[in-house]
């Protein structure tokens, strides 16, 4: 937008966008034009004028949103001398808002003003200034302003920098008394205004969340005591109560940073304990919202005190610290009748058990054991299914089924504290009691469900309880509830390690017969297949004699048209067993299971046209059969590394048919991706035995990639380099392999780099970047010298230097791995072949690209990459220093010198001392982690 548009033109575009009678094409043009206007430098003045005129809701909303967006993303466009006038204008707009103003507009303006305050270094003590406007701005807007102010401090888009943030936190710490005083005034002057109460509590919580406050000062705050008073009463709205709970929770979260103040902690514990009566009243009144709030408070208290109750219970007297009583409040919630209340406490139990596991202290474990025993008892009760339920629990993916799986995960994590055998024994006793008393099926099913969670922990020599449980399952009557049978099948699968032991081999056949019976029931087929897979995998030696029976089961699965995951689960198990079959029967078995999937696939390829749209997850979908075939190939193994190995012969014979399928579905990215997944397992399986697949596969995927840029072809290329790059002792065979592989990457270069050279190409095609540089990594790892001599290397290196700033987790990791492997291959003596020559080649590359690479790495670290990506940057720099430390340090100095020393607001980003400290860290460091921390801290000056 070269010239500023008139305000009338803006109104016309807004009207066209929001008018119901405007045609879609005109709406789209108006939207595009307004987006361009918002990006332009003229948007500041236009937004200000729209807000001043207040013509209608839509124009005011667009103006407020524009102002917020510009302050968030384009603050650098404003000259410093305009900051004060903009602040005054925004405050003026805010002062004209009233109760009739749309809440979204007010929020946008508040966030905009908060962004300005945070970036405008000359506006000192902005929070105090805002609080002092109590009589000129409406109370609700002041509170919202003060709420968003600390919330926006860590916004990535603002790029405040560590120095500015540090300054803000110091200022906030000094401003907190004034903010607290304002909140106390609001609560006392308007005690019956629920909206003011809610906003006051939210504001209080927002300021506590910045964690730069004094705990003792906050503990004595009237705002906090007011929140506690609200939580102790039974009247008032649930929204006020929830806001009060949020404020208390925000305070409790500060306890973890201040865990050495026993006196205050005891007062806090006593204050929270006084909420027990209110909790019980909420339960009596069946007020679930309030119950949840109390549970959140009790759980947060306990979680904040986890390290206190552990560390201070390790004292010489061996007595638990008083803080452990917080767990009693949590157990109270765990026994609530609604499982959603119990679910709130899960993270606490996970964390507590993890800390106990790490310490491995028997005294501590015994101290906390009673609480975990009560927890498991509560989980047992909550896992009971309603007795009037008719169908399977997990049908439709309902919330309660998800909750039960979370219970199962929790039990697996915490059971070591109570002991698996004790829990299994306890559940068996419950089973017996329920059986003798003719209890409802839900109690027995819940006991079986808890058993399946810990079944894999049961020792193989256990011969007292498990045999009785297995026998009871196998003798279940026909009339047993479907959920009972479902959980029983799941339990048998989880007992696979116990079943596989020689002591219990006689149970295998009756268990298989039982599972075969269950498999024929549509709603049990999936879980039965999963259990069969587990048993086949662990009992593979015993299962060989049952192979023919399993093949018959596969036929049944196809005839019953059961879900594909059922067949895949069985096929995995059968493939594992085939590895144990005598050599003379391997070929026939593999042909039997593989061609049962390949023939329907070929039939589909020949009978359907490009316009045919298959129904997902049905036999009309090629992926249905490809996934089955993938499962088989993934779990097959070769017994020898010979071309005549029967497994190899059977698999290689499949390639001509696979080639037809690959070509037939070359235009469909979805099918091609699943095909390549299948091909990966095929190559992995036979590569150590034969090179028969190398040339035809390499040529076909290279040809197809030129036509259709599916990145999965590049991925298959990397698999082939991995498998055929360095596994053969015969020099002639190795040379032929290298030649084919280099031709393949040469064919990939032109179409891949055509995508990368588009505008924002690297950002728009991260999967292609990821797969391409994985391929390049494989070349460096498997055939370094031929690759270093290849003419394609230079263009790949230049691309990688540009791609280091790509903010995409997998793609960036692959680029960095390529650079790292390139540098390592020049100095690694792991393979002495051509060592001196390799070293010379890489040193030449380093001298050529080193300065630009370091420049881009520092720029990327500061402006583009997430902090978790920075260790990869350090790895590359360290390898550069291994070639020439002094030169690399000079490059680092130059890169840091080019960084801006001030931001758009005129505030210092990194001082000279901070830059020097960062550079000095590279002169002498003890480990890579030290440099990572240094780069992370340095990058924060600019973020």
């Amino acid at each position: 937008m070269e010239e500023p548009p008139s305000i009338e033109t803006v109104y016309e575009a807004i009207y066209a966008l929001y008018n119901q009678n405007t045609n879609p094409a005109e709406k789209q043009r108006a939207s595009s034009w307004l987006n361009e206007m918002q990006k332009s430098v003229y948007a500041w003045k236009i937004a200000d004028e729209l807000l001043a005129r207040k013509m209608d809701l839509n124009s005011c909303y667009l103006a407020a949103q524009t102002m917020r967006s510009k302050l968030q993303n384009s603050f650098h466009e404003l000259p410093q001398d305009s900051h004060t006038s903009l602040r005054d204008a925004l405050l003026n707009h805010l002062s004209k808002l009233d109760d009739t103003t749309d809440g979204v507009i007010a929020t946008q303006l508040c966030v905009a003003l908060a962004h300005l305050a945070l970036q405008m270094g000359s506006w000192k003590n902005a929070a105090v200034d805002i609080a002092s406007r109590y009589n000129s701005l409406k109370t609700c807007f002041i509170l919202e302003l003060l709420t968003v102010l600390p919330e926006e401090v860590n916004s990535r888009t603002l790029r405040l920098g560590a120095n500015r943030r540090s300054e803000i936190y110091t200022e906030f710490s000094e401003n907190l008394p004034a903010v607290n005083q304002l909140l106390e005034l609001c609560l006392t002057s308007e005690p019956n205004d629920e909206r003011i109460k809610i906003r006051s509590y939210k504001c209080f919580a927002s300021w506590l969340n910045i964690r730069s406050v004094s705990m003792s000062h906050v503990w004595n705050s009237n705002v906090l005591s007011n929140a506690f008073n609200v939580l102790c009463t039974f009247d008032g709205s649930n929204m006020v109560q929830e806001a009060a709970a949020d404020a208390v929770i925000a305070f409790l979260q500060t306890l973890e940073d201040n865990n050495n103040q026993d006196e205050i902690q005891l007062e806090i514990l006593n204050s929270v304990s006084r909420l027990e009566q209110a909790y019980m009243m909420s339960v009596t009144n069946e007020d679930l919202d309030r119950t949840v709030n109390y549970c959140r408070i009790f759980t947060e208290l306990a979680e904040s005190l986890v390290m206190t109750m552990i560390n201070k219970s390790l004292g010489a007297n061996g007595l638990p610290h008083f803080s452990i009583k917080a767990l009693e409040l949590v157990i109270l919630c765990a026994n609530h009748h609604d499982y959603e209340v119990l679910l709130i406490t899960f993270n606490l139990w996970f964390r507590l058990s993890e800390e106990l596991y790490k310490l491995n202290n028997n005294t501590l474990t015994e101290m906390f054991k009673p609480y975990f025993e009560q927890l498991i008892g509560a989980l047992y009760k909550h896992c009971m299914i309603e007795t009037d339920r008719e169908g399977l629990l997990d049908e439709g993916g309902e919330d309660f089924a998800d909750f039960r799986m979370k219970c199962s995960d929790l039990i697996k994590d915490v059971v070591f504290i109570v002991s698996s055998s004790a829990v299994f024994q306890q559940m068996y006793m419950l089973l017996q009691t329920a059986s003798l008393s003719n209890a409802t099926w839900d109690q027995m099913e819940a006991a079986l469900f808890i058993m399946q969670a810990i079944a894999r922990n049961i020792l193989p020599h256990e011969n007292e309880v498990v045999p009785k449980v297995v026998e009871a399952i196998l003798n279940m009557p026909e009339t047993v509830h479907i959920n009972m049978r479902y959980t029983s099948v799941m339990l048998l699968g989880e007992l696979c390690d116990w079943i596989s032991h020689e002591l219990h081999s006689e149970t295998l056949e009756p268990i298989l017969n039982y599972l075969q019976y269950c498999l024929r029931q549509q709603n049990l087929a999936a879980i039965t297949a999963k259990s069969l897979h587990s048993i086949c995998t662990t009992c593979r030696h015993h299962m060989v004699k049952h192979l023919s029976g399993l093949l018959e089961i596969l036929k049944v699965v196809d005839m019953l048209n059961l879900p594909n995951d059922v067949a895949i689960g069985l096929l995995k198990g059968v493939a594992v067993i085939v590895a144990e079959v005598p050599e003379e029967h391997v070929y026939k078995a593999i042909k039997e299971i593989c061609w049962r999937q390949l023939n329907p696939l070929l039939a589909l390829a020949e009978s359907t046209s490009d316009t045919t749209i298959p129904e997902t997850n049905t036999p009309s979908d090629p992926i249905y059969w490809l996934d089955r075939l993938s499962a088989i190939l993934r779990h097959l193994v070769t017994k020898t590394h010979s071309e005549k190995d029967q497994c190899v012969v059977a698999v290689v014979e499949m390639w001509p048919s696979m080639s037809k399928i690959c070509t037939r579905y070359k235009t469909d990215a979805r099918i091609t991706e699943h095909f390549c997944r299948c091909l990966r397992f095929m190559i992995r399986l036979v590569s150590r035995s034969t090179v028969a697949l190398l040339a035809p596969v390499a040529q076909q995927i290279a040809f197809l990639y030129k036509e259709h840029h599916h990145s999965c072809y590049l991925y298959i290329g990397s698999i082939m380099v991995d498998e055929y790059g360095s596994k053969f002792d015969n020099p002639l065979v190795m040379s032929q392999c290298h030649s084919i592989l280099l031709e393949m990457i040469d064919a990939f270069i032109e179409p891949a780099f055509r995508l990368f050279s588009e505008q924002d190409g690297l950002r728009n095609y991260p999967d292609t970047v990821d797969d391409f540089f994985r391929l390049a990594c494989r070349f460096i790892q498997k055939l370094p010298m031929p690759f270093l001599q290849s003419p394609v290397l230079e263009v790949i290196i230049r691309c990688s230097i540009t791609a280091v700033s790509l903010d995409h987790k997998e793609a960036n990791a692959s680029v960095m791995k390529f650079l790292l492997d390139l540098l390592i291959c020049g100095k690694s003596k792991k393979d002495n072949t051509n060592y001196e020559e390799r070293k010379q080649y890489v040193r030449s590359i380093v001298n050529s690209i080193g300065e630009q690479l370091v420049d881009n790495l520092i720029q990327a670290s500061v402006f583009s990459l997430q902090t978790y990506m920075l260790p990869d940057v350090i790895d590359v720099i360290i390898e550069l220093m291994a070639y020439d430390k002094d030169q690399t340090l000079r490059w680092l100095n130059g890169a840091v010198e080019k960084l801006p020393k001030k931001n758009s607001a005129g505030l210092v980003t990194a001082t000279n001392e901070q830059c020097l400290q960062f550079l000095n860290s590279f002169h002498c460091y003890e480990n890579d982690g030290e440099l990572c921390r240094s780069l992370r801290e340095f990058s924060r000056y600019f973020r």
Side-chain angles (χ1 to χ4, degrees):
M1 195 167 282
E2 296 178 359
E3 294 183 1
S6 68
I7 198 70
E8 287 74 21
T9 305
V10 177
Y11 275 121
E12 287 174 8
I14 294 171
Y15 178 80
L17 179 63
Y18 291 104
N19 185 13
Q20 296 295 326
N21 298 322
T22 308
N23 68 62
E26 196 171 335
K27 276 182 181 287
Q28 184 58 49
R29 282 195 296 274
S31 177
S32 299
W33 188 87
L34 287 169
N35 283 334
E36 286 301 311
M37 183 276 294
Q38 287 180 307
K39 293 176 185 176
S40 74
V41 72
Y42 311 115
W44 298 99
K45 187 175 180 181
I46 291 169
D48 185 46
E49 190 167 349
L50 291 174
L51 287 168
R53 291 192 179 195
K54 295 176 68 174
M55 288 279 287
D56 54 44
L57 178 65
N58 291 330
S59 63
C60 288
Y61 171 75
L62 182 95
Q65 189 267 338
T66 300
M67 196 64 81
R68 193 268 306 156
S69 177
K70 296 297 284 185
L71 278 161
Q72 185 176 41
N73 302 305
S74 308
F75 188 63
H76 60 275
E77 293 177 356
L78 289 175
Q80 289 184 42
D81 57 9
S82 67
H83 294 173
T84 303
S85 60
L86 177 60
R87 178 196 65 188
D88 295 341
L90 285 172
L91 284 167
N92 182 50
H93 291 312
L94 205 57
S95 68
K96 294 178 180 179
L97 302 184
D98 53 35
D99 291 337
T100 64
T101 305
D102 187 274
V104 176
I105 295 173
T107 298
Q108 295 279 359
L109 282 177
C110 287
V111 173
L113 196 53
H115 287 173
L116 177 61
L118 295 172
Q119 295 177 95
M120 183 178 164
S122 59
W123 191 3
K124 301 296 182 185
N125 298 309
V128 175
D129 186 12
I130 292 167
S132 69
R133 297 172 186 268
Y134 184 72
N135 295 318
S136 60
L137 291 176
K138 283 191 69 66
T139 305
C140 59
F141 299 140
I142 289 180
L143 292 175
E144 182 151 11
L145 251 176
L146 291 173
T147 300
V148 298
L149 194 60
E151 287 177 348
E152 296 297 317
V153 174
N154 291 309
S155 170
R156 279 197 72 209
T157 51
L158 290 186
R159 291 196 166 275
L160 296 173
N163 286 324
R164 174 59 179 159
R165 281 197 180 88
S166 177
E167 182 183 313
I168 290 169
Y169 281 134
T170 301
E171 196 174 277
F172 279 178
S173 186
E174 295 168 354
N175 293 171
L176 180 60
V179 173
N180 186 66
Q181 189 176 1
L182 172 70
L183 296 177
E184 290 176 354
L185 175 63
C186 292
L187 290 170
T188 53
S189 62
E190 303 182 63
N192 299 319
D193 190 328
E194 290 194 342
R195 188 172 61 159
I196 296 299
K197 275 189 175 183
I198 292 169
R199 291 184 182 235
S200 297
Y201 295 143
K202 284 185 176 181
C203 183
F204 185 72
S206 179
W207 278 75
L208 290 183
N209 286 333
I210 63 175
R211 302 292 181 90
S212 62
V213 297
S214 163
M215 190 177 77
S216 56
H217 177 82
V218 176
W219 176 235
N220 294 313
S221 164
N222 289 333
V223 180
L224 186 61
S225 60
N226 189 291
F228 268 108
N229 289 337
V230 165
L231 290 164
C232 286
T233 59
F234 309 124
D235 51 4
S237 75
N238 281 2
M239 291 180 65
V240 172
Q241 211 243 15
E242 183 178 357
D246 289 339
V248 170
I249 287 168
F251 169 71
L252 293 175
Q253 287 169 344
T254 66
L255 280 178
E256 199 150 7
D257 301 329
N258 303 272
N259 57 12
N260 291 316
Q261 302 182 40
D262 272 12
E263 187 177 337
I264 293 181
Q265 284 183 349
L266 182 57
E267 290 180 18
I268 294 168
L269 179 60
N270 290 335
S271 294
V272 173
S273 297
R274 281 194 285 272
L275 297 178
E276 183 180 340
Q277 184 182 357
Y279 166 82
M280 297 306 295
M281 182 61 72
S282 73
V283 175
T284 303
N285 294 336
E286 296 185 358
D287 191 338
L288 184 60
D289 289 340
R290 292 190 180 230
T291 300
V292 164
N293 287 330
Y294 293 121
C295 181
R296 288 167 55 221
I297 293 170
F298 298 158
T299 304
E300 190 61 54
L301 173 67
E303 194 161 356
S304 297
L305 294 173
V306 161
M307 296 314 299
T308 300
M309 65 177 73
I310 287 177
N311 293 333
K312 294 192 176 181
S313 293
L314 284 169
N317 59 14
L319 296 175
H321 188 253
F322 67 79
S323 57
I324 203 169
K325 291 184 179 179
L327 294 178
E328 295 173 9
L329 295 171
V330 180
I331 287 295
L332 187 67
C333 298
N335 286 305
H336 187 272
H337 63 84
D338 194 308
Y339 71 85
E340 290 184 13
V341 178
L342 170 61
L343 193 57
I344 295 168
T345 72
F346 274 27
N347 193 61
L348 163 68
W349 301 113
F350 275 121
R351 186 179 170 198
L352 181 55
S353 65
E354 183 182 0
E355 296 296 337
L356 292 173
Y357 181 79
K358 285 192 291 188
L359 287 170
N360 192 25
N361 183 296
N362 289 334
T363 304
L364 266 181
T365 301
E366 285 299 315
M367 194 179 292
F368 285 93
K369 185 175 178 179
Y371 298 102
F372 284 93
E373 288 175 337
Q374 292 178 73
L375 170 65
I376 290 176
L379 292 171
Y380 163 71
K381 292 174 185 175
H382 279 285
C383 283
M384 291 181 191
I385 304 170
E386 293 180 2
T387 53
D388 58 354
R389 186 179 186 94
E390 295 182 0
L392 264 182
L393 178 66
D394 58 348
E395 289 176 346
E398 59 190 281
D399 291 342
F400 183 55
D402 182 56
F403 165 75
R404 293 219 320 168
M405 294 318 296
K406 288 176 180 174
C407 286
S408 181
D409 292 339
L410 179 59
I411 291 166
K412 289 172 185 176
D413 258 43
V414 308
V415 75
F416 74 93
I417 298 169
V418 184
S419 114
S420 298
S421 58
V423 173
F424 208 90
Q425 178 76 34
Q426 179 190 357
M427 292 300 120
Y428 177 65
M429 296 296 290
L430 288 171
L431 269 177
Q432 282 190 312
T433 304
S435 178
L436 291 172
S437 62
N438 291 320
T440 51
W441 63 269
D442 60 318
Q443 298 176 37
M444 292 186 283
E445 190 279 337
L448 291 171
F449 184 77
I450 302 295
M451 284 179 170
Q452 67 79 31
I454 57 173
R456 292 193 185 240
N457 295 346
I458 299 300
L459 296 174
H461 61 256
E462 204 287 329
N463 210 28
E464 183 180 343
V465 175
V466 178
K468 294 175 183 176
V469 173
V470 171
E471 184 181 359
I473 290 172
L474 299 181
N475 292 311
M476 277 184 178
E478 291 277 344
T479 56
V480 74
H481 195 280
I482 188 65
N483 280 293
M484 272 281 284
R485 200 174 295 281
Y486 183 96
T487 305
S488 299
V489 170
M490 184 161 51
L491 174 55
L492 290 176
E494 292 300 304
L495 283 170
C496 57
D497 292 321
W498 182 88
I499 296 167
S500 68
H501 197 274
E502 291 293 338
L503 290 172
H504 318 296
S505 57
E506 76 283 352
T507 64
L508 181 58
E509 188 163 352
I511 287 173
L512 289 176
N513 291 335
Y514 176 78
L515 293 177
Q516 187 170 357
Y517 162 76
C518 294
L519 190 67
R520 296 174 184 272
Q521 300 180 46
Q522 183 96 23
N523 46 12
L524 294 176
I527 190 62
T528 305
K530 185 177 179 181
S531 293
L532 275 170
H533 174 226
S534 298
I535 292 171
C536 288
T537 303
T538 54
C539 308
R540 62 184 72 182
H541 301 297
H542 304 299
M543 288 292 291
V544 172
K545 62 183 178 182
H546 299 288
L547 180 60
S548 58
L550 287 171
L551 293 175
E552 289 301 314
I553 289 175
L554 287 178
K555 294 178 184 177
V556 171
V557 170
D558 288 340
M559 286 189 293
L560 293 177
N561 198 26
L562 294 174
N564 206 28
D565 56 353
V566 175
I568 288 173
L570 285 173
L571 287 166
K572 288 177 182 177
V574 172
V576 167
I577 295 168
V578 167
E580 306 296 325
V581 170
E583 180 72 17
E584 61 271 19
H585 300 302
V586 169
Y587 178 83
K588 182 181 177 182
I590 292 176
K591 292 280 282 187
E592 169 77 17
I593 58 175
C594 286
W595 284 89
R596 186 179 290 278
Q597 326 311 322
L598 200 50
N599 282 328
L601 196 51
L602 286 167
L604 276 178
E606 292 168 2
S607 64
T608 57
S609 65
D610 288 339
T611 57
T612 304
I613 300 176
E615 186 180 346
T616 307
N617 294 326
T618 67
S620 67
D621 186 357
I623 291 174
Y624 180 91
W625 303 102
L626 283 169
D627 286 352
R628 287 181 169 207
L629 195 53
S630 293
I632 296 168
L633 294 171
R634 184 175 190 173
H635 291 85
L636 287 174
V637 292
T638 56
K639 294 185 177 181
T640 65
H641 298 316
S642 163
E643 287 189 343
K644 295 181 180 180
D645 184 284
Q646 292 302 290
C647 178
V648 174
V649 172
V651 171
V652 170
E653 284 180 3
M654 293 164 53
W655 169 246
S657 298
M658 294 286 284
S659 176
K660 289 179 185 177
I661 293 161
C662 180
T663 303
R664 167 65 186 79
Y665 294 109
K666 63 185 179 181
T667 59
D668 192 311
R670 173 174 160 269
I671 296 174
T672 298
E673 188 171 334
H674 284 259
F675 173 84
C676 287
R677 182 171 174 267
C678 186
L679 186 57
R680 171 184 61 161
F681 297 125
M682 190 175 182
I683 293 166
R684 294 273 196 212
L685 181 60
V686 304
S687 62
R688 292 174 65 87
S689 308
T690 179
V691 294
L693 294 183
L694 173 59
V697 173
Q699 290 163 8
Q700 182 154 352
I701 63 173
F703 175 76
L704 291 176
Y705 186 69
K706 288 183 178 180
E707 288 186 354
H708 311 280
H709 302 144
H710 302 313
S711 70
C712 51
Y713 290 139
L714 300 175
Y715 177 67
I716 286 296
S718 69
I719 297 298
M720 296 183 69
V721 175
D722 192 37
E723 293 298 318
Y724 294 105
S726 61
K727 285 188 177 177
F728 302 98
D729 297 328
N730 187 321
L732 181 60
V733 173
M734 203 73 268
S735 176
Q736 291 172 341
C737 290
H738 289 178
S739 177
I740 293 168
L741 294 170
L742 287 168
E743 287 175 11
M744 178 186 71
I745 194 172
D746 190 48
F748 284 150
I749 286 283
E750 191 276 329
F753 279 64
R754 198 184 322 132
L755 294 180
F756 298 160
S757 61
E758 293 177 9
Q759 185 175 359
D760 289 330
L762 293 170
R763 185 177 296 277
N764 293 336
Y765 301 102
D767 291 341
T768 301
V769 175
D770 181 21
D771 288 327
F772 184 85
F773 281 99
R774 283 191 189 205
L775 172 63
C777 284
R778 296 286 196 228
F779 270 98
I780 293 172
Q781 294 163 0
K782 299 297 180 178
L783 47 153
M785 204 58 226
F787 191 53
L788 288 172
Q789 295 170 329
S790 170
V792 305
L793 181 61
E794 183 179 353
V795 68
I796 296 173
I797 292 172
R798 292 292 169 190
C799 179
S800 70
I801 294 173
T802 304
V804 295
S805 62
L806 187 59
D807 185 11
H808 183 280
K809 183 180 179 181
E810 289 78 16
N812 186 275
S814 294
V815 172
M816 294 297 190
K817 186 72 166 62
F818 163 73
L819 288 166
L820 189 65
D821 287 350
L822 176 65
L823 295 169
I824 289 173
C825 96
K827 65 184 187 65
S828 172
K829 293 186 179 180
K830 188 176 180 181
D831 178 8
N832 285 320
T833 310
N834 307 115
Y835 167 66
E836 290 298 332
E837 200 173 354
R838 273 189 285 117
K839 185 176 179 180
Q840 185 178 347
Y841 266 99
V842 178
R843 184 176 290 278
S844 173
I845 291 169
V846 169
N847 291 335
S848 172
I849 63 144
E851 184 172 11
Q852 187 184 354
L853 175 58
V854 171
D855 236 10
N856 286 19
L857 287 172
I858 295 300
Q859 290 279 336
S861 300
V862 166
F863 297 116
S864 304
L865 303 183
Q866 305 278 357
T867 52
Y868 68 80
M869 297 177 173
L870 299 185
D872 291 342
V873 174
I874 290 298
D875 289 342
V876 173
I877 293 175
I878 287 173
E879 291 303 327
L880 283 170
M881 289 197 293
Y883 283 91
D884 191 331
K885 185 173 182 178
D886 291 339
Q887 180 70 287
T888 304
L889 291 173
R890 283 193 290 273
W891 291 334
L892 278 168
N893 272 301
V896 170
E897 189 61 35
K898 293 175 186 175
L899 295 173
K901 298 300 181 289
K902 289 186 177 182
N903 63 19
S904 55
L907 300 171
V908 174
T909 49
T911 65
N912 289 333
E913 291 77 12
Q914 289 166 337
C915 291
L916 188 61
Q917 184 180 6
F918 168 65
L919 291 168
N920 285 341
S921 66
F922 287 87
H923 287 269
C924 50
Y925 61 93
E926 293 183 3
N927 53 58
D928 299 359
E930 192 177 310
L931 284 183
C932 285
R933 284 190 296 274
S934 179
L935 178 58
R936 192 177 294 117
E937 289 170 8
F938 183 70
S939 70
R940 285 179 181 141
Y941 296 131
F942 302 85
R943 293 176 183 263

